Amino acid sequence: MKMKHLIIGVAVMLAPGIMSFCGFYVSKADGTLKNKTSQVILVRDGNKTVITMYNDFKGDTKDFAMVVPVPVVLKQEDIKVVDQDIFQRLNDYSAPRLVEYWDRNPCNNYPEMAKGLTGKVAGVQVSRDKYMDDAEKKETVKIEAKYLVGEYDILILSATESTGLKEWLLNNGYKIPDGAEEVLDPYIKSNLKFFVVKVNEKEKQKLNNNFLRPIQIKFNSPKFMLPIRLGMANADGDQDLIVYAFTRKGRIECTNYRNVNIATDKNIPLFVQKNFGMFYNNLFNHQWSKENKSVAFLEYAWDVSPQNYYHCDPCIATAPGEQDLVQSGVWWLGGKDWSDYSDVDNDEPDNGSKNVHFTRLHFRYNRNSFPQDLFFQVTPNTETFQARYIITHPANGDFTCDAGKKYLQDLKVRRKKELQDLTALTGTNLNNWQQDATAAADEETDATAQYRTLIPEVAAAAEHEKTWPASMIIMSALVLGGAGFMRWKGMV
Amino acid sequence: MNSIHFSRDARYFQIIFQCVFLAYGIVYLGWNAEWWLYFTYLGTSVSTQVLFETILARRRTHQWPAWNAIKNGLPSAVISAMGLCLLLKTNDYSTAILAAFISIASKYLIRFKGKHIFNPSAFGIVSAVLITGNAWISPGQWGSGTVLLFFVLCLGFIITTKVQKLDTSLAFLIPFGGLIFLRQVIYLGWPLDYFIQSISTGSLLLFSFFMITDPKTTPNHYKARIIWSVLVAAVSFYIVTFTFISTAPVWVLVFMQPLVPLLDYIFKAKLFHWKSPKPVKAKLIVFDPVQKKSL
């Protein structure tokens, strides 16, 4: 097979002081998630990949620039701009969800209701100071192609050594972050091209809007990855990345980092509703630290094929329609213009399937925990997954019947469990939630079953209880059992 | 036949460690414990083993049932099943049954001169992935924590010393790691932690110490074993680096196993020539119950 180094990804050049983290969305439940978040849509089948990069740069567009390592010299028709709203739709649809249920009064009869809420994730971007359309300064850098796509001027560079490339970028007004060279060199030696983007002011003015549209590129490559290393060179601290992936077969997973399902289907206290965004942020942070940071978190996986009617349970936003999927780059659903991939080595034949599987992965990376770029594989795993948290409203009214008394007892037990889970999930001290618990309209609930009464009880119990994880016991038992067995067999 | 006792011990040893790995995955790495899958693998492997033993026993000695042969073969079937539990994922019962059946059946059906050719787990995995298309390997499932690295190394070391095939592990691991190092650090210029991340994945170490070392499917002569392991390493390196299939070693292992009889053929003469003082290794064949029956 012809050797191809196919690295694609978002690399970001930042001018000093213009680092902008925009897109601070607020969920219905008055919560927020971390705002240093980039978003990428990956579409993959066989060796074909389509990548769409979210752009929510909100400064002076003259300051915008982006460098993306790409495996091949992209043709003009391989690059397009797409509707920005897709990202919002995909995010709304796949974000971690809060579900509400209502208890029935056992002494009465009420119809059951359920509805969902969500926390939302924000995006982040890129900038630079100025751009000059200079010809190449050194022979080590070559402009392979030059296009105007939508509001963007695009150059495809190839380089033979990193100092030349670095110099070229500097001379053309790009600020190279410290440490970028350590990454540029391996990329160049892997025969990557550099996709350099700036805004064409004339075209931008014609559009008459105040945002930059996402750029979508397509290419053929056996390598299925996102280069995050270049972006890391300048990112201070941890950076979030949400990957929305679409495949024909099933989930995608990371092959060089551990995949972990985020904790899901947990009953949490009612008062969390007011601060669901904060709750999820705490939860993610806690799980991320607990799993030693170098992990890929699965937040959502579902079959979203247009012919599949059950896209979620419950749905928190309209499922992406066929049009959204095609916009995202799911070429097998229609778009004929995306099917000219005749030069693929070892490609799987197009089997005409219209299936679409959606995976949402959430990374929080930094230089230490993520020494490598992200590599992925498509698996035939079609199991569904959603990050789902449940709150249950208590029943109201008169509980004087026997079943009613029993209900109050059960409610108390359930709420204690909810509080314990809240601590276990978020790693936060229960007392921090006392204010929320007091503020929540919990008045109609029997005093003994109110959260504010239960919090001190549960917190005190937690103090006393030696937190001996059951896992330690299991492990010890195993080791001891094994040792005993070997002793018995005369091996030790 | 001292070696019977010896090899049986090694197999029990191996089962224990495989269980520890599985427990580690479930308890510490938070795998979804798919008990139905584990029991399907285990049940199918054991029943297939019993089935084949019974058929063979009937055909050869007209004994019924062949309790001894069955008893001798069970640990091998469990090891193969555990290998599947640790590596092969699927959502489908029928795929799980097929994989386990093929693993065990390959031991009886694909043979050459008293040795089966394919490592049962590896063959089962590769067949299931190729035939059904709904099974997969998750190379990232172990992560690459350094603690785990040592954990696996130590355990692996012990087990391989027990069955005296450490040469196979090292002859695979050192060239493979060396080539990756040359490529990533020396040639491409990635920093060292990039390389460490590549080499410290639990999947690779498990493969090196628990899969490629299978005494039944590696060449008998140590020289042949080393040549063969280095070959597996070189081909795996090529595929991992240039075609980006991160699960390459398992595939390469299976596709290179037909070379083993050839190497056995070539190196047998030498072995004879040298008059190896310790023909014990070859005696490991004894834990093949079929062979034992035919002796």
Side-chain angles (χ1 to χ4, degrees):
Chain A
M1 172 183 282
K2 214 170 110 198
M3 173 177 148
K4 276 189 182 172
H5 296 271
L6 299 156
I7 304 184
I8 276 284
V10 194
V12 174
M13 293 294 176
L14 292 167
I18 322 185
M19 197 130 141
S20 83
F21 297 110
C22 323
F24 196 77
Y25 303 103
V26 179
S27 82
K28 248 197 235 162
D30 193 27
T32 58
L33 290 189
K34 208 171 155 81
N35 70 339
K36 265 163 85 177
T37 304
S38 343
Q39 301 180 65
V40 176
I41 304 172
L42 289 180
V43 183
R44 171 85 173 179
D45 189 53
N47 279 342
K48 304 166 200 170
T49 306
V50 179
I51 298 185
T52 314
M53 292 158 279
Y54 188 55
N55 192 346
D56 71 347
F57 178 79
K58 283 195 185 134
D60 187 340
T61 51
K62 271 184 248 146
D63 294 335
F64 171 79
M66 186 164 84
V67 178
V68 185
V70 287
V72 288
V73 175
L74 301 172
K75 290 182 278 232
Q76 181 143 20
E77 60 268 27
D78 296 334
I79 309 163
K80 59 181 194 178
V81 288
V82 297
D83 186 2
Q84 194 179 27
D85 297 341
I86 300 174
F87 280 92
Q88 189 61 52
R89 280 200 286 275
L90 294 182
N91 179 38
D92 286 354
Y93 170 67
S94 62
R97 56 213 61 206
L98 183 65
V99 203
E100 289 181 278
Y101 289 101
W102 277 262
D103 281 343
R104 292 176 201 202
N105 186 332
C107 309
N108 213 326
N109 260 337
Y110 284 107
E112 200 173 318
M113 297 180 282
K115 71 175 180 183
L117 282 174
T118 175
K120 296 178 186 178
V121 186
V124 84
Q125 258 315 346
V126 233
S127 68
R128 60 138 231 184
D129 39 357
K130 69 193 177 92
Y131 188 101
M132 300 186 300
D133 248 14
D134 275 7
E136 63 244 65
K137 283 273 146 88
K138 276 205 160 192
E139 277 172 16
T140 54
V141 178
K142 189 179 161 206
I143 298 175
E144 300 273 357
K146 205 169 180 176
Y147 309 119
L148 175 67
V149 179
E151 63 266 47
Y152 298 105
D153 277 327
I154 288 159
L155 293 179
I156 313 250
L157 305 177
S158 67
T160 50
E161 47 113 4
S162 60
T163 33
L165 178 66
K166 192 178 164 187
E167 213 164 280
W168 189 94
L169 290 168
L170 283 173
N171 287 338
N172 286 278
Y174 289 90
K175 168 88 180 134
I176 303 282
D178 295 338
E181 228 174 324
E182 98 173 359
V183 185
L184 287 182
D185 225 19
Y187 282 164
I188 291 169
K189 286 199 179 123
S190 304
N191 207 14
L192 291 182
K193 315 293 175 222
F194 295 86
F195 178 88
V196 182
V197 185
K198 67 153 188 166
V199 175
N200 183 304
E201 286 302 317
K202 252 194 210 157
E203 293 297 320
K204 178 81 186 63
Q205 271 157 22
K206 277 190 220 161
L207 280 174
N208 202 21
N209 55 21
N210 58 353
F211 57 85
L212 295 169
R213 290 176 292 172
I215 302 176
Q216 186 171 77
I217 54 174
K218 61 162 179 167
F219 58 91
N220 286 314
S221 157
K223 205 169 197 175
F224 183 26
M225 67 161 309
L226 276 177
I228 53 172
R229 285 296 310 276
L230 198 46
M232 255 184 237
N234 51 45
D236 56 337
D238 307 324
Q239 206 169 332
D240 278 33
L241 167 69
I242 306 276
V243 174
Y244 309 100
F246 296 99
T247 72
R248 250 183 188 148
K249 263 171 43 187
R251 282 187 200 177
I252 68 158
E253 57 178 41
C254 197
T255 56
N256 59 337
Y257 295 99
R258 205 148 61 79
N259 296 274
V260 177
N261 295 353
I262 197 86
T264 184
D265 279 333
K266 300 286 184 190
N267 285 294
I268 53 175
L270 198 52
F271 57 79
V272 172
Q273 180 178 17
K274 282 185 77 179
N275 255 327
F276 179 62
M278 189 182 87
F279 160 79
Y280 187 72
N281 203 3
N282 282 337
L283 178 143
F284 187 87
N285 206 27
H286 183 61
Q287 306 277 317
W288 177 70
S289 312
K290 229 174 65 181
E291 300 289 353
N292 283 331
K293 303 185 178 182
S294 354
V295 285
F297 279 106
L298 179 71
E299 288 184 331
Y300 187 81
W302 217 280
D303 178 359
V304 293
S305 313
Q307 70 271 20
N308 175 19
Y309 296 107
Y310 298 98
H311 288 138
C312 37
D313 175 30
C315 284
I316 48 170
T318 324
E322 190 159 343
Q323 219 25 57
D324 297 321
L325 295 174
V326 172
Q327 274 264 320
S328 305
V330 185
W331 69 84
W332 59 87
L333 283 186
K336 278 223 168 77
D337 52 326
W338 288 91
S339 55
D340 56 334
Y341 293 95
S342 42
D343 59 331
V344 188
D345 297 317
N346 197 17
D347 202 2
E348 284 175 35
D350 192 314
N351 57 11
S353 149
K354 296 273 186 212
N355 287 341
V356 187
H357 291 274
F358 183 7
T359 317
R360 173 188 171 119
L361 296 179
H362 189 164
F363 295 88
R364 179 168 293 171
Y365 58 79
N366 56 50
R367 175 64 187 81
N368 286 338
S369 310
F370 283 78
Q372 289 186 350
D373 291 322
L374 306 175
F375 289 81
F376 301 100
Q377 71 175 5
V378 177
T379 72
N381 188 358
T382 53
E383 209 185 327
T384 57
F385 180 86
Q386 54 183 343
R388 178 171 176 269
Y389 308 93
I390 305 140
I391 54 172
T392 316
H393 296 272
N396 291 324
D398 180 34
F399 296 109
T400 42
C401 68
D402 281 349
K405 283 173 197 153
K406 170 104 179 23
Y407 168 77
L408 278 183
Q409 273 307 315
D410 292 347
L411 179 66
K412 219 172 129 180
V413 173
R414 184 182 80 201
R415 287 190 154 190
K416 276 189 177 172
K417 177 84 175 60
E418 288 172 0
L419 289 168
Q420 284 159 358
D421 281 353
L422 180 65
T423 327
L425 287 172
T426 59
T428 48
N429 189 325
L430 262 190
N431 294 322
N432 298 350
W433 295 92
Q434 184 64 273
Q435 210 173 356
D436 281 334
T438 316
D442 204 13
E443 299 305 327
E444 290 177 33
T445 313
D446 188 274
T448 55
Q450 280 177 15
Y451 286 112
R452 57 180 160 193
T453 334
L454 295 173
I455 284 182
E457 270 181 54
V458 175
E463 290 279 307
H464 286 291
E465 203 177 298
K466 266 252 167 129
T467 41
W468 242 74
S471 55
M472 290 278 275
I473 301 169
I474 297 172
M475 270 324 253
S476 320
L478 260 170
V479 171
L480 284 176
F485 183 80
M486 284 184 266
R487 186 97 192 90
W488 172 51
K489 279 280 163 188
M491 283 187 259
V492 180
Chain B
M1 284 283 164
N2 280 338
S3 51
I4 295 182
H5 180 68
F6 169 71
S7 54
R8 267 180 67 184
D9 280 357
R11 287 185 299 167
Y12 287 124
F13 207 79
Q14 180 155 359
I15 293 171
I16 292 170
F17 284 111
Q18 283 176 317
C19 290
V20 171
F21 282 120
L22 192 62
Y24 180 85
I26 292 167
V27 175
Y28 280 97
L29 300 180
W31 295 357
N32 290 341
E34 299 184 61
W35 298 110
W36 68 267
L37 183 63
Y38 306 148
F39 284 111
T40 309
Y41 285 150
L42 213 60
T44 313
S45 296
V46 169
S47 14
T48 311
Q49 177 95 12
V50 170
L51 179 78
F52 274 93
E53 283 304 338
T54 315
I55 293 171
L56 282 175
R58 277 208 89 174
R59 270 180 43 187
R60 290 194 175 156
T61 63
H62 302 283
Q63 267 181 12
W64 179 278
W67 289 124
N68 269 344
I70 289 171
K71 215 179 104 195
N72 281 335
L74 277 188
S76 297
V78 175
I79 289 175
S80 303
M82 290 302 296
L84 294 175
C85 293
L86 288 172
L87 281 165
L88 187 67
K89 314 231 169 251
T90 179
N91 296 329
D92 200 329
Y93 270 108
S94 51
T95 306
I97 291 171
L98 183 79
F101 177 79
I102 291 179
S103 293
I104 303 298
S106 76
K107 287 203 298 188
Y108 294 94
L109 301 179
I110 312 173
R111 304 180 64 87
F112 184 78
K113 290 201 172 173
K115 255 175 119 176
H116 53 262
I117 292 180
F118 293 106
N119 174 308
S121 308
F123 190 73
I125 289 167
V126 166
S127 314
V129 171
L130 284 180
I131 295 171
T132 67
N134 62 13
W136 72 99
I137 306 172
S138 293
Q141 66 177 345
W142 294 102
S144 31
T146 22
V147 182
L148 176 72
L149 171 84
F150 290 110
F151 185 60
V152 178
L153 265 179
C154 296
L155 294 189
F157 209 88
I158 298 165
I159 190 115
T160 43
T161 327
K162 273 275 174 191
V163 294
Q164 299 186 351
K165 299 273 173 162
L166 189 61
D167 49 2
T168 323
S169 301
L170 296 183
F172 168 77
L173 208 51
I174 293 170
F176 186 75
L179 286 169
I180 298 259
F181 182 81
L182 285 178
R183 164 85 190 166
Q184 291 182 345
V185 181
I186 308 292
Y187 177 67
L188 291 179
W190 285 110
L192 202 61
D193 58 351
Y194 190 99
F195 164 73
I196 291 170
Q197 168 89 15
S198 315
I199 211 73
S200 62
T201 73
S203 312
L204 179 69
L205 295 163
L206 264 186
F207 173 81
S208 326
F209 288 104
F210 289 89
M211 194 170 264
I212 195 176
T213 50
D214 176 7
K216 292 301 307 278
T217 53
T218 42
N220 290 327
H221 193 283
Y222 81 96
K223 277 194 172 176
R225 275 205 301 277
I226 287 171
I227 292 172
W228 184 72
S229 304
V230 171
L231 268 174
V232 173
V235 177
S236 301
F237 164 77
Y238 179 82
I239 293 179
V240 166
T241 313
F242 299 112
T243 65
F244 317 109
I245 298 167
S246 46
T247 53
V250 178
W251 295 82
V252 174
L253 176 71
V254 169
F255 288 107
M256 303 254 302
Q257 269 171 337
L259 278 183
V260 173
L262 183 72
L263 284 166
D264 272 347
Y265 176 76
I266 296 169
F267 280 88
K268 206 169 224 167
K270 280 202 171 170
L271 188 69
F272 183 73
H273 227 72
W274 279 29
K275 264 219 162 207
S276 169
K278 277 194 280 177
V280 183
K281 290 164 201 157
K283 281 290 185 282
L284 283 173
I285 282 177
V286 173
F287 65 71
D288 178 356
V290 180
Q291 183 70 17
K292 200 181 154 217
K293 276 286 168 220
S294 61
L295 281 176

